[in-house]
Each structure stands twice: as structure tokens, then as C-alpha cells.
Amino acid sequence: MLPISVYRHLGLEDVVHKVMDRRRLSLEDGLRLFQCPDLVAVGALAHEVRRRLHGLSTYYVINQHINYSNICVNGCLFCAFRRRKGEPGAFELTVSDVAAKVRERLSDGVTEVHIVGGCHPELRLETVEAMVRAVRRVRPMVHIKAFTAVEIAHFARLEGLSIRDVLVRLKAAGVEMLPGGGAEVFSPRVRALLCPQKLSGEGWLQVMREAHRLGIKSNATMLFGHKETLEERLEHLDALRRLQDETQGFVCFIPLPFQPKHTEVPGALGPTGVDELKTIAVSRLMLDNIPHIKAYWVMLGVKQAQVALYFGADDLDGTVIEEKIGHMAGAESEACLTRQTLEHLIQQAGFEPVERNCFFEHAAASAVP
Ligand code: V47
């Protein structure tokens, strides 16, 4: 951390004392951090917390993303991935296509398969259950992280089932964890502007609450740098923090910088580099009960993700292999990274690479071949 006189000069001495005493920051504290002109001072404070929690360990995962379909009824303006059924570029994989994608990577040491799609108007729950079972058959020991809270609520509506029943069925099929997507920002104002058809913020939190109660851990995200205010970002973080107090079910938080290309958000450019780093740092400082912060290289770019390790992030995500959501929105990052590249990025930044599974257990200690 920088000398306390620096923080005194910036009017943040009380915030530093709260962080050092492990006291919770208020939304007002968060706003002062966001408004602080000294990025390095805010980053150094977040780095202090990151060092306290994880030392120099920096996590990565050998994973495979699979999108089973981009057909979606929601029409979110920030999403360049979605298509209507029959529109050029729309796709949907069959159960055997999904199995084939997993089979193609059998020699890669993948420990996590991450499966998400759109809110398809007809795809039945039994089909997605079959996809999960097929992944499990092809790769019995892999961890399956699948379906956002938005997809879960969509399956429930389509099938006339409760959220709980959908989660119970997917868990029985082999889903072990939910990814953090679909949260966007919870603000009803922003959702009315950008994704009025989508599950509400309250609905997203309720799905996660049910999942956590069933023993299904999850991640959480925040899409930032579009139409939201700093206050709305902080309210989003606070809502996650309050649910985490209740359930302890969130493993990792992922701030997702908005990629504007090919989207329909009027006038939005996406966050600047400084805003990305400050948002990661403020997230680390506000989310005192969520253990991990991910610098998702796909959306940040590999170089910025590496720098983010000094601004509160302790995870780089993984090999990914085939990413569509960010790249269809113009993300300029690589399509995939190798284990060697991830380890090099971490080591070159002065940290210690630790291969993890989706629960952040050391991968070597888990029973994955
Ligand atoms: O839900 C959509 C977001 C999410 C854009 O849980 C966009 O481990 C930026 O959630 N610009 C999907 N973001 C990605 C995601 C994720 C990724 C990696 C790991 C995990 C995890 C979760 O991407 C969507 C949406 O919030 N998104 N469009 C865009 N134009």
C-alpha cells in the first residue's frame, strides 16, 4: 500500500482504516473510491486486500466453453451474440454436437466445461439435461458449470416448473455450479433501457438464492461501461454482498467491461482502461465476503487482465478454447490461451500460478484425470 499520507491527502484515510480493520465499506465509501483521481492509490488498497486473501497466488483453469445456442427471445441491446430463430448466424447444437465438442478436447486436461446459451423459445429442459449427461458420459470427471440464472428462470417458465425444481433436475443431471452471467446491472432503470424482456435483477438474485440453498455454488458478474451510473454499480455490488451474507454461495465475482461493437446500445463506447482497473479495485474492496475476483482476459484483453492482478484480481479464468459472446461483440483478445501462456502471464507479473478447478480447489488435488 502507499503511505497513509497519500490517502490522507486524497481524503481517503478513514476508508484505509476501515479496510485495515476489516470493516465493511459503505456505498458512499465506494463512491469516493470511484471518484478518487489517483488510480494507483485505489489499486494499491485493493492489492493489499488481494494479498491478504491470496498472497501471490494467481489462479487459472483449463476449461472449455460451449455455447449450445445463440437463439434468444430476450433481445438485449448490449448483446451481439443473440439471434432470433431463422435469422442469419443463428445456431443450435444437438446433444451429439455438444458431446463431440467435449470429445475433441479429451487430450487437453480440461477440468471445467462451461455451458451457456440464449433463452431459446422451444428447447426443452429434457434436451439440456441430455446435453449435461452427454458431457458427463464423455468426460466423467470433469466439473460442469452450466446455465445462467436467466436460463434457469427461462426453463422454469417454459416448463411450468418452479425454479427449485429446474435446479434439482439439472443438479441430478450433473450441473455442479452456475456461471455468473446474466446479472448485467440490477438497476431496474438500466434494465428497462437495455434489456426490458430479461429476468429482473431481483429474479436473478432469487435464482442464485435457490441454487445456493440447494448446495449449488455460483459465480456473479456485473456488466459495466454502458448506461449505468457509478451509484448503480455500487448498488449492484451491495446486492451481491447482501446475498452472500445470507448464503455464502458465490465463489468468484467477474466484472465484465462492455464491448460495444455490433451491439445496439446507442452512444456507448465501453469503459476506458482506467475505469476497468478502478472497477476491479472497487469490486475487490466492496465485496469483502466474496473470495475471488476474476480478470476475464476475453473481455479485458490479455495485457489489461495481467495488469488487473495488481488491482485486486486474483484469477485470470482459463484456456476457454472457443468464446463467442465477447468476440461477437468485437473483443480483440485471442480466441484461446494455452496453459503455458497463462502461467507465463502470471509469472511475468511476479505472481505464482495455481491451476484450479471451478470451485477454486487446486486442480492437482481434485480427482480429475
Ligand atoms: O451474461 C453480453 C455479458 C456474459 C456483452 O461464471 C457482454 O465463470 C461484454 O458471464 N460486452 C457472459 N459482456 C460471460 C459470463 C462469464 C464469462 C466467463 C466466466 C464466467 C463464470 C462467466 O457476458 C453475459 C453478459 O452479461 N455480455 N454481451 C458485451 N457486448
Side-chain angles (χ1 to χ4, degrees), residues 353-365:
V354 179
E355 188 191 341
R356 62 161 177 89
N357 65 21
C358 62
F359 304 113
F360 280 77
E361 296 157 346
H362 291 201

Side-chain angles (χ1 to χ4, degrees), residues 133-337:
R133 291 206 174 92
V135 172
R136 176 69 64 233
R137 248 192 322 275
V138 175
R139 206 156 196 158
M141 303 303 285
V142 86
H143 292 298
I144 302 177
K145 183 176 76 183
F147 313 119
T148 65
V150 176
E151 288 164 274
I152 302 288
H154 176 74
F155 296 141
R157 203 171 45 240
L158 212 61
E159 302 287 341
L161 292 171
S162 69
I163 300 283
R164 190 174 191 281
D165 288 344
V166 171
L167 288 165
V168 166
R169 276 178 58 172
L170 290 172
K171 187 178 180 187
V175 172
E176 296 170 85
M177 185 169 177
L178 303 187
E184 323 314 351
V185 281
F186 297 140
S187 153
R189 182 193 73 85
V190 176
R191 282 181 119 77
L193 279 176
L194 299 186
C195 49
Q197 320 267 46
K198 188 170 220 158
L199 179 69
S200 68
E202 269 311 312
W204 189 96
L205 290 161
Q206 187 52 30
V207 173
M208 289 308 190
R209 182 178 284 111
E210 295 271 4
H212 297 171
R213 281 183 184 154
L214 288 167
I216 305 170
K217 298 271 185 195
S218 78
N219 289 337
T221 56
M222 175 175 74
L223 181 68
F224 69 98
H226 40 86
K227 296 290 175 190
E228 83 292 356
T229 62
L230 296 178
E231 287 83 353
E232 285 164 336
R233 287 186 200 176
L234 289 161
E235 281 156 14
H236 183 100
L237 297 175
D238 188 51
L240 293 175
R241 192 167 69 170
R242 281 184 276 122
L243 181 56
Q244 181 74 341
D245 280 340
E246 200 183 308
T247 66
Q248 288 87 51
F250 291 121
V251 177
C252 180
F253 174 70
I254 309 144
L256 294 168
F258 174 55
Q259 315 288 310
K261 268 195 205 152
H262 315 303
T263 73
E264 294 169 35
V265 182
L269 300 172
T272 64
V274 167
D275 190 15
E276 288 176 347
L277 293 175
K278 208 183 268 180
T279 304
I280 291 166
V282 173
S283 303
R284 176 62 288 162
L285 291 164
M286 294 297 292
L287 295 175
D288 51 31
N289 54 4
I290 299 187
H292 300 283
I293 306 285
K294 179 177 315 207
Y296 186 42
W297 61 263
V298 169
M299 305 291 188
L300 287 166
V302 169
K303 293 181 181 183
Q304 177 83 320
Q306 187 189 34
V307 175
L309 300 178
Y310 279 96
F311 286 77
D314 60 278
D315 179 57
L316 277 188
D317 200 73
T319 46
V320 175
I321 297 175
E322 188 186 21
E323 200 284 333
K324 290 189 163 57
I325 298 173
H327 286 99
M328 285 172 80
E332 287 172 4
S333 54
E334 290 69 357
C336 64
L337 294 182

